[in-house]
Amino acid sequence: MLILLIRIANSLPILLFQMTKTIAISNQKGGVGKTTTAINLSASFASLNFKTLIVDADPQANSTTGLGFQLNENNYSLYECLANLQEVESCIYATNYQNLFLLPSSIHLAGAELEMFEIEQREFILKSRLEKIMDNYDIIIIDCPPSLGLITINSLVAANTVIVPVQCEYYALEGLGKILNTIKIIQTNLNKSLKIDGILLTMFDSRLNLNNQVANEVVNFFEELVFKTIIHRSSKLSESVSVGKTVMDYEENGRANQNYLSLAKEILSKSL
């Protein structure tokens, strides 16, 4: 892969990427903004001139529909890729956004774990598939299922970093502890190079005491591991996904779009 030189929004520093950055977005707890983050972070990277691939590894296929992609009988998905029924290149599609590509999910992915179970080195299947097209992209983002199954394990093994979205609510710390323990197990046994990019606070409303309390607890406990960027609660985020658009396309100058652009730049700054 060629070294990529870009300048972010007319500001220094110039970034140098010598290898593809693969980010898994994962939390075993649902409803934390995982898919919303996968979609809008990918779009933000693409808008900064990074050729970006989003891999929808969730059988619910919310990243797929959230980008306005409608799978039909003539399309292939991640299922065909994992089952080795199609080459990975045949399963990737351009989206409506420049520099943004999609490896879609389908309902068939729900049965993939059973089919993969008997395969030797089953935890490394996704990694081996993505290695074939790794050099074609600057950034790959994997939207993991909200569970600890074989597909999530495959996603964490294929990634070199992971982002953990955490909703600012009462049970946030409980769910956070579980996913961090899972990541530690993966690091110990399957992917020693896996690093945590950061814990991302989502759905934050500064008017709510509970949100402020949870955010403070997470920051106080995990310190530098928490992203400085916070994703604020916004009706525009859910509205944009429901009509198959990124929030950048839905409300370009809105706060939610600025949040995700800020997150993309913060992640890139950590890569220097």
Side-chain angles (χ1 to χ4, degrees):
M1 179 181 181
L2 294 176
I3 295 178
L4 177 67
L5 300 178
I6 71 159
R7 192 182 298 267
I8 296 181
N10 300 320
S11 64
L12 295 174
I14 293 176
L15 298 175
L16 293 88
F17 270 18
Q18 296 185 10
M19 60 179 292
T20 302
K21 184 174 179 65
T22 304
I23 307 171
I25 300 182
S26 183
N27 194 325
Q28 291 162 238
K29 189 176 184 301
V32 297
K34 178 180 58 62
T35 294
T36 301
T37 294
I39 291 172
N40 291 294
L41 181 58
S42 297
S44 294
F45 282 133
S47 75
L48 296 171
N49 295 321
F50 285 93
K51 190 175 180 182
T52 305
L53 172 67
I54 179 169
V55 178
D56 190 352
D58 189 342
Q60 297 177 85
N62 289 332
S63 282
T64 299
T65 57
L67 283 170
F69 188 83
Q70 299 297 324
L71 203 69
N72 59 48
E73 64 274 7
N74 297 318
N75 300 136
Y76 301 119
S77 70
L78 181 61
Y79 168 75
E80 284 79 16
C81 175
L82 293 177
N84 209 23
L85 299 174
Q86 292 291 332
E87 290 296 325
V88 62
E89 295 93 337
S90 303
C91 304
I92 295 174
Y93 302 89
T95 69
N96 294 324
Y97 304 94
Q98 186 177 4
N99 295 322
L100 183 57
F101 298 81
L102 171 68
L103 176 46
S105 179
S106 72
I107 190 63
H108 300 298
L109 193 60
E113 291 190 349
L114 292 175
E115 297 179 26
M116 294 163 64
F117 191 75
E118 298 296 329
I119 299 176
E120 189 176 348
Q121 297 287 297
R122 55 185 175 272
E123 299 90 353
F124 297 87
I125 296 174
L126 179 58
K127 179 180 175 66
S128 68
R129 303 293 190 267
L130 293 182
E131 282 177 344
K132 296 179 180 180
I133 50 90
M134 193 75 70
D135 289 347
N136 298 337
Y137 301 94
D138 304 308
I139 297 174
I140 298 175
I141 291 184
I142 307 172
D143 182 14
C144 301
S147 61
L148 178 57
L150 194 49
I151 292 177
T152 296
I153 293 172
N154 264 260
S155 300
L156 293 173
V157 170
N160 45 50
T161 67
V162 57
I163 293 173
V164 183
V166 177
Q167 186 179 358
C168 297
E169 62 167 27
Y170 185 74
Y171 292 108
L173 291 176
E174 178 183 335
L176 184 54
K178 290 179 180 178
I179 184 60
L180 292 178
N181 185 57
T182 297
I183 292 169
K184 185 176 181 180
I185 293 172
I186 297 293
Q187 290 171 323
T188 301
N189 298 289
L190 296 169
N191 186 0
K192 290 180 171 57
S193 63
L194 180 65
K195 295 182 178 7
I196 299 176
D197 255 330
I199 296 167
L200 177 66
L201 295 170
T202 64
M203 304 182 195
F204 178 74
D205 189 337
S206 61
R207 299 168 298 179
L208 301 178
N209 289 334
L210 178 60
N211 278 201
N212 286 291
Q213 180 182 345
V214 170
N216 288 333
E217 287 181 359
V218 173
V219 171
N220 289 336
F221 191 83
F222 293 101
E223 299 178 337
E224 295 301 315
L225 201 56
V226 183
F227 283 112
K228 292 179 175 60
T229 303
I230 295 177
I231 308 301
H232 292 79
R233 185 176 294 277
S234 170
S235 61
K236 301 301 181 183
L237 282 172
S238 54
E239 288 173 14
S240 62
V241 171
S242 68
V243 295
K245 295 183 177 181
T246 67
V247 74
M248 182 181 299
D249 194 25
Y250 192 73
E251 190 187 32
E252 182 178 359
N253 297 316
R255 187 181 200 180
N257 181 35
Q258 295 307 312
N259 284 170
Y260 278 109
L261 276 172
S262 175
L263 176 62
K265 293 175 183 179
E266 184 175 352
I267 293 168
L268 293 173
S269 70
K270 289 184 175 185
S271 301
L272 290 173

